[in-house]
Amino acid sequence: MITKKVIIKNPTGLHLRPAGNLCKVAMNYKSHITFMYGENSANAKSVLSVLGACIKCGDELEFKCEGPDEAEAMEALVNAIENGLGE
């Protein structure tokens, strides 16, 4: 299991389009991928979980990947977030 903290840079936070893009990246991997925000956690492969988290610009998320391709999954997620999730 590996964890990494990232800060959301999207000016409008994770609304539907970037949330969907985050889920698409996560679903490419077999690993179980979750993220913590405040006291709560969410499944990074579920658009509804990501949207329900109400993530805003500047929020810090801690991603946790656990599985056979956890390193590749974490690298892809961090790259996608740092590149704005298609925004």
Side-chain angles (χ1 to χ4, degrees), residues 53-67:
C54 298
I55 305 299
K56 295 171 184 56
C57 181
D59 286 353
E60 181 180 74
L61 305 180
E62 182 176 7
F63 281 88
K64 179 168 68 171
C65 296
E66 188 171 2

Side-chain angles (χ1 to χ4, degrees), residues 10 12-23 50 84-87:
N10 295 54
T12 55
L14 295 186
H15 59 86
L16 186 57
R17 189 177 320 115
N21 289 338
L22 177 70
C23 293
V50 176
L85 293 166
E87 292 273 291

